[in-house]
Amino acid sequence: MEPLQTLPPPSQLSHSALSFLDHKFPTATVLADSPNFVTELQFQCSELDRALAELTRRLGAGLAAYASFSGEIHSLFDGVNSKLHELSATCSSSIVPDGGRDEGDGKGGKGFREELATLAKEVARLETVRVYAETALKLDTLVGDIEDAVSYTMSKNIRKHSFDENSGDMRLFAIKKLKMTEEILTSITKIHPQWKQLVSAVDHRVDRALAILRPQAIADHRALLASLGWPPPLSAFTSSNSDARIANQVLNPLQSMHADHKLKYTENFLALCNLQELQRKRKSRQLVGHDREVALRQPLWAIEELVNPLSLASQKHFSKWVDKPEFIFTLVYKITRDYVDSVDEMLQPLVDEAKVVGYSCREEWISAMVTSLSTYLAKEIFPSYITQLDEESVTGVQSSARISWLHLIDLMIAFDKRIISMVENSGILLSLDDDILQRISSLSVFCDRPDWLDLWAEIELGDTLGKLKPDIENENNWRKKIEGVVLSSSTTDDHKSPLVSSAFVRQLASVVERCRSLPSVTLRSKFLRLVGVPIIRKFFDSILIRCQEAEGLTALTDNDALIKVAISVNAAHYFESVLKEWSEDVFFLEMGVDDDNKVELPSNTNRDSEGLPESSNRVIFDDEIKNLEEFRTEWVEKIAVVILRGFDARSREYLKNKKQWQKIEEGWTVSKTLIEALDYLQGKMSVVEECLNSRDFVGVWRSLAAGIDRLFFNGILLSNAKFHNGGVERFGSDLDVLFGVFGAWCLRPEGFFPNINEGLKLLKIDEKRVQECMTGGKRWLKGNGIRHLSVSEAEKILKNRVFTS
């Protein structure tokens, strides 16, 4: 025997090796047997080596046999192939002997081929009949077994009104046969779709069996739950124990079942899940080509059977709390929260074992509890409130019905937020699918009752407008500006918006926030159109009335009227900016997509953008934003027109005096008759600049510049006034002062007066170049920077130019 080697340090040994040595040598006295232990290990290693060598030998022999067998198969196929070639040659020689063909031989060969094709069809038909007969016989046997099993369980239930072990076994047997039947029917549907009569006949018999089997399975499941002490007493939920997990361990009867009860419950639960999965597969096969997702998605039956008795027990308390609905929501939330972990921990493995696809016990428990609450609200609470509202409308006496309605909506929104938080904290990913949101939202009652949504919208709108009325009537809210508000969409703008616009935005934001809780894009879109849009229109009407009042009293000639209009324009600009910023949110964009989906496409449209409906890429507030934009444009233009009229009235003598252009006015840098108009212009513009937001002020002065440009161009340059050298100099000085007024708002003011600026250029050209202009036409004008005047206008200006020495 070889000398024993010393073991390496323990740090160099693996955990498994250390555990093995600790097990073999628990004490120091056992170390004396280490030589025997080494011998035993060496013997075991040698045995393993021999076994490995034997496996290697057998693998080599197997590979050699496979290679030999493969060669034999290849040779057999070669033989079959050669036989087929010989048969083909024989047939060809019998049909076309010696490479020639007479008329009789041709007819005989054709007849042989036709007989051969007919024979092949007949053989195929007989094979199809045989397969059909075998399949029909097999299905008949399976359906017969199903009907016998169902009859047996039904007779057992008639004799004994409790869950029986034998009837449970027969139910499992029936479900097994149902699965086999469904597999065959699915195969027939794919391979032999023409066998519709057979499938229909079998489906009819299976449906009759399922109509008996499912109610029996559910009844047995309910009886078993009752025997296990479900539902637990609701008094258990009043425990002040803040540790929900500890409370669950005490309260949940399903966790305290004995072994035999647990086995019965497990078998019954699996049977119910298997029956539901079978039903889902049948529906999936029967609804091929239709919207299967809507029809196939059903709540998990076994979870529903847990929730229904809890819901019935809870309703005894709910009936006492019609005037205190907050207690209802509190109790439902507590039951949902206290049981969700234990239900998921115990039942999810069973659902996975039953292979029920796409179900989470946690999500199903929460969904079933919320659905039971929504059902009770729809049957008891809402009808009670509607009755109160009807009485209020008949008697005309204001009651608390509307306040109670809004309070109930507040409770529902708060409850839904807590439920969504519970779902998200449980690790369930909430998608944007409306179906999932509807199943965990108490506001889903409005999905089935859109008339209730209309009523809510009416109450909500009345309450919101009532809150806004004092803000609208308070004149201080129109004078004071919003401080410190900057929108991300316009970081450089000072909106100078009044406080009243902030009040409207605040109330509209509140409506939008409440709308977010609705579980359907369609409902959210409808609610905003019924409540949000009227609020915006109320705002629009308020600012429009103020502007019309200012215009009607003074025609905007005094500064107070201008300021009033400017404040309204500022409010419109701020509100418009807020709506545009909101419209970029996904919440509003998906409403526009939903609206687009409802618009029918024209029948004869191509794939280009020309075939799209006009509402494409719209958002919900598009019309309101457009109205606000048009309002701002209209009243900004009116401000500019009013100032232009005042400027025109004060510069009329300046425009009519044609002789003033024959000489220069000594001692004056600007014409005396223009001073009053320029002073008026500066005064009005300073008032407008002070009270109007910067973006719309740009629109005012640009529109005003364009108006003055047309006024001076038509009233002076095209008025046939004769311009001498001094007059040209005088006109240039006047324009420099005019440009200086607008120079406070831009770097090159002359660019906004293109006509008079280019007209002055023509007046200043040398006498020698006048003829070039007259003959050069449009090309000469463009070459000399005259781009806004026509040839006839340029010729008229130059004809009125008088050159003196």
Side-chain angles (χ1 to χ4, degrees):
M1 181 183 297
E2 296 180 1
L4 297 177
Q5 297 181 358
T6 305
L7 287 173
S11 60
Q12 298 181 9
L13 295 176
S14 65
H15 178 70
S16 58
L18 288 173
S19 300
F20 177 74
L21 293 174
D22 288 342
H23 177 69
K24 289 296 182 180
F25 303 105
T27 61
T29 57
V30 188
L31 291 175
D33 295 334
S34 59
N36 296 331
F37 178 61
V38 171
T39 303
E40 181 182 352
L41 287 178
Q42 290 175 344
F43 176 75
Q44 292 178 3
C45 289
S46 62
E47 287 294 324
L48 291 174
D49 288 338
R50 280 195 295 273
L52 180 61
E54 176 64 18
L55 289 174
T56 304
R57 184 189 66 76
R58 289 169 61 185
L59 178 62
L63 291 174
Y66 174 78
S68 175
F69 178 74
S70 177
E72 292 176 4
I73 293 295
H74 185 70
S75 63
L76 287 174
F77 274 116
D78 287 342
V80 170
N81 195 23
S82 63
K83 293 292 184 182
L84 288 174
H85 280 299
E86 292 176 4
L87 180 61
S88 176
T90 302
C91 292
S92 300
S93 62
S94 64
I95 295 172
V96 190
D98 300 329
R101 182 191 313 195
D102 56 21
E103 188 178 351
D105 291 338
K107 293 181 179 179
K110 183 177 181 182
F112 178 78
R113 288 194 297 271
E114 290 177 352
E115 290 178 4
L116 192 60
T118 303
L119 181 61
K121 290 180 180 179
E122 184 65 19
V123 170
R125 189 186 67 83
L126 291 175
E127 176 64 17
T128 303
V129 171
R130 183 188 66 81
V131 173
Y132 183 90
E134 290 180 354
T135 304
L137 180 61
K138 189 173 183 180
L139 285 171
D140 184 66
T141 303
L142 288 172
V143 176
D145 291 341
I146 294 168
E147 292 172 341
D148 291 342
V150 171
S151 299
Y152 177 82
T153 56
M154 185 170 61
S155 62
K156 278 286 185 180
N157 281 348
I158 292 174
R159 292 195 297 269
K160 295 177 66 178
H161 298 281
S162 63
F163 180 76
D164 183 79
E165 186 174 352
N166 292 331
S167 65
D169 292 340
M170 289 304 293
R171 183 179 299 114
L172 292 176
F173 174 78
I175 293 173
K176 179 180 178 183
K177 294 299 181 180
L178 281 166
K179 285 184 176 179
M180 295 172 63
T181 304
E182 183 59 30
E183 289 174 359
I184 295 175
L185 292 177
T186 302
S187 176
I188 291 175
T189 303
K190 294 179 180 178
I191 301 174
H192 303 289
Q194 69 274 18
W195 295 358
K196 294 179 180 179
Q197 295 291 341
L198 176 62
V199 174
S200 177
V202 174
D203 273 341
H204 179 67
R205 294 176 63 184
V206 169
D207 286 338
R208 287 191 303 177
L210 284 173
I212 301 172
L213 189 61
R214 179 189 172 187
Q216 286 181 355
I218 292 177
D220 287 345
H221 191 75
R222 290 174 180 173
L224 180 60
L225 284 175
S227 67
L228 296 174
W230 187 271
L234 293 181
S235 58
F237 294 97
T238 61
S239 171
S240 59
N241 194 339
S242 60
D243 191 343
R245 295 184 179 275
I246 296 177
N248 291 343
Q249 295 173 5
V250 177
L251 296 175
N252 195 340
L254 300 182
Q255 290 186 315
S256 58
M257 290 186 294
H258 297 300
D260 55 340
H261 288 163
K262 188 171 185 179
L263 179 61
K264 284 184 179 180
Y265 180 78
T266 300
E267 291 176 351
N268 204 266
F269 187 93
L270 290 174
L272 206 56
C273 288
N274 286 326
L275 197 58
Q276 182 170 3
E277 180 64 11
L278 173 67
Q279 191 90 321
R280 188 194 67 80
K281 289 181 178 179
R282 284 175 55 76
K283 288 293 183 183
S284 179
R285 170 177 58 82
Q286 294 169 351
L287 294 174
V288 170
H290 300 81
D291 189 3
R292 294 189 292 176
E293 293 301 323
V294 176
L296 295 180
R297 189 63 175 87
Q298 289 185 343
L300 199 60
W301 296 347
I303 298 295
E304 275 193 322
E305 295 308 316
L306 288 175
V307 171
N308 287 340
L310 266 176
S311 177
L312 290 174
S314 301
Q315 288 179 16
K316 298 177 182 178
H317 296 274
F318 292 169
S319 60
K320 305 173 187 177
W321 299 336
V322 175
D323 295 331
K324 295 287 185 180
E326 56 268 21
F327 294 163
I328 298 176
F329 290 96
T330 301
L331 179 59
V332 173
Y333 178 77
K334 183 168 176 58
I335 295 175
T336 307
R337 182 199 62 191
D338 289 352
Y339 275 92
V340 65
D341 289 333
S342 58
V343 167
D344 181 60
E345 180 181 345
M346 181 178 179
L347 301 183
Q348 187 62 48
L350 299 181
V351 172
D352 296 338
E353 183 180 346
K355 298 181 180 179
V356 183
V357 180
Y359 283 93
S360 161
C361 280
R362 183 179 294 271
E363 182 181 336
E364 290 300 313
W365 171 261
I366 296 173
S367 171
M369 290 298 301
V370 174
T371 301
S372 68
L373 171 63
S374 300
T375 303
Y376 182 79
L377 293 175
K379 288 183 177 180
E380 303 294 337
I381 304 298
F382 275 103
S384 172
Y385 286 2
I386 290 174
T387 302
Q388 296 178 30
L389 289 170
D390 291 340
E391 293 175 354
E392 177 183 309
S393 62
V394 171
T395 60
V397 178
Q398 190 73 20
S399 67
S400 60
R402 294 175 178 268
I403 298 175
S404 300
W405 181 288
L406 294 176
H407 178 58
L408 177 63
I409 297 296
D410 290 337
L411 293 174
M412 295 171 73
I413 292 173
F415 174 81
D416 287 353
K417 288 181 178 179
R418 297 178 74 187
I419 289 295
I420 290 175
S421 177
M422 181 193 302
V423 171
E424 292 175 343
N425 292 336
S426 300
I428 300 174
L429 295 177
L430 281 178
S431 67
L432 295 177
D433 187 3
D434 284 351
D435 181 60
I436 296 177
L437 295 176
Q438 287 175 21
R439 288 189 287 115
I440 61 170
S441 172
S442 62
L443 291 168
S444 59
V445 295
F446 295 111
C447 296
D448 299 324
R449 294 301 302 264
D451 55 324
W452 290 357
L453 183 72
D454 296 342
L455 184 56
W456 173 24
E458 178 187 341
I459 297 173
E460 191 76 40
L461 178 60
D463 180 69
T464 304
L465 294 180
K467 294 176 181 177
L468 285 171
K469 187 176 180 181
D471 292 321
I472 298 172
E473 295 176 350
N474 188 352
E475 195 63 30
N476 288 330
N477 289 334
W478 292 95
R479 295 194 185 99
K480 294 181 180 179
K481 299 178 182 178
I482 303 175
E483 300 293 340
V485 176
V486 178
L487 298 175
S488 59
S489 60
S490 54
T491 55
T492 59
D493 284 354
D494 179 11
H495 294 91
K496 299 181 181 180
S497 181
L499 287 177
V500 69
S501 58
S502 176
F504 271 93
V505 169
R506 185 170 58 253
Q507 293 297 332
L508 183 60
S510 175
V511 169
V512 171
E513 189 61 31
R514 291 165 74 79
C515 171
R516 288 180 186 271
S517 300
L518 285 167
S520 164
V521 175
T522 303
L523 292 182
R524 293 193 285 269
S525 177
K526 182 179 180 182
F527 185 80
L528 276 187
R529 293 189 188 284
L530 291 174
V531 184
V533 170
I535 292 174
I536 300 174
R537 289 176 179 170
K538 178 64 176 178
F539 171 79
F540 180 82
D541 291 342
S542 299
I543 58 177
L544 179 62
I545 289 173
R546 291 180 65 84
C547 290
Q548 289 174 342
E549 288 176 350
E551 184 182 32
L553 290 174
T554 63
L556 304 183
T557 54
D558 67 334
N559 291 343
D560 290 339
L562 277 179
I563 293 172
K564 196 171 186 178
V565 171
I567 289 173
S568 297
V569 171
N570 293 341
H573 184 214
Y574 173 73
F575 210 88
E576 175 195 332
S577 301
V578 171
L579 293 181
K580 285 183 176 179
E581 186 173 324
W582 286 0
S583 298
E584 297 173 1
D585 194 305
V586 176
F587 175 75
F588 292 95
L589 292 175
E590 65 182 1
M591 293 183 197
V593 173
D594 183 69
D595 289 342
D596 289 345
N597 291 337
K598 294 179 182 178
V599 178
E600 293 185 5
L601 291 174
S603 56
N604 298 321
T605 56
N606 54 28
R607 296 187 179 182
D608 298 329
S609 59
E610 294 177 357
L612 294 175
E614 293 182 1
S615 62
S616 182
N617 298 324
R618 288 169 55 88
V619 292
I620 191 167
F621 293 141
D622 264 0
D623 291 338
E624 285 63 40
I625 292 173
K626 183 179 179 181
N627 290 338
L628 291 171
E629 289 177 341
E630 291 175 351
F631 171 85
R632 288 195 304 112
T633 303
E634 177 185 354
W635 287 95
V636 163
E637 184 65 27
K638 284 188 177 183
I639 292 174
V641 168
V642 167
I643 298 176
L644 181 62
R645 285 175 181 172
F647 182 84
D648 182 21
R650 288 161 179 78
S651 60
R652 196 154 298 163
E653 183 180 350
Y654 174 76
L655 296 174
K656 289 183 177 180
N657 187 0
K658 297 181 180 181
K659 294 183 178 181
Q660 63 182 328
W661 309 119
Q662 297 178 7
K663 59 182 179 178
I664 192 170
E665 194 171 12
E666 297 293 341
W668 292 88
T669 57
V670 61
S671 300
K672 290 185 288 184
T673 52
L674 186 60
I675 294 177
E676 183 184 358
L678 292 175
D679 183 62
Y680 167 84
L681 177 65
Q682 277 190 317
K684 287 294 183 182
M685 290 303 290
S686 63
V687 171
V688 174
E689 184 179 16
E690 177 66 24
C691 61
L692 189 62
N693 69 84
S694 56
R695 180 170 297 184
D696 288 319
F697 178 71
V698 170
V700 171
W701 71 254
R702 285 187 175 183
S703 178
L704 188 58
I708 295 176
D709 182 51
R710 290 191 301 271
L711 179 66
F712 277 22
F713 183 72
N714 294 323
I716 298 176
L717 295 179
L718 298 184
S719 64
N720 293 321
K722 302 298 182 180
F723 280 87
H724 293 245
N725 293 344
V728 171
E729 184 179 348
R730 180 175 182 174
F731 185 61
S733 300
D734 292 344
L735 291 187
D736 288 340
V737 176
L738 177 64
F739 294 162
V741 174
F742 288 85
W745 310 307
C746 60
L747 294 177
R748 294 185 63 255
E750 61 273 12
F752 296 94
F753 299 85
N755 294 319
I756 56 176
N757 187 43
E758 292 180 358
L760 182 62
K761 272 186 181 180
L762 288 176
L763 292 176
K764 288 183 176 181
I765 64 172
D766 188 48
E767 183 179 3
K768 298 178 180 179
R769 301 186 61 195
V770 171
Q771 192 60 34
E772 295 178 8
C773 176
M774 293 290 190
T775 57
K778 195 68 177 178
R779 180 177 297 179
W780 187 92
L781 292 176
K782 288 185 177 180
N784 288 271
I786 311 297
R787 301 181 180 275
H788 295 85
L789 302 184
S790 65
V791 175
S792 59
E793 289 172 340
E795 289 178 352
K796 188 172 184 180
I797 292 173
L798 290 177
K799 285 180 180 178
N800 290 319
R801 178 71 168 93
V802 178
F803 293 94
T804 56
S805 57

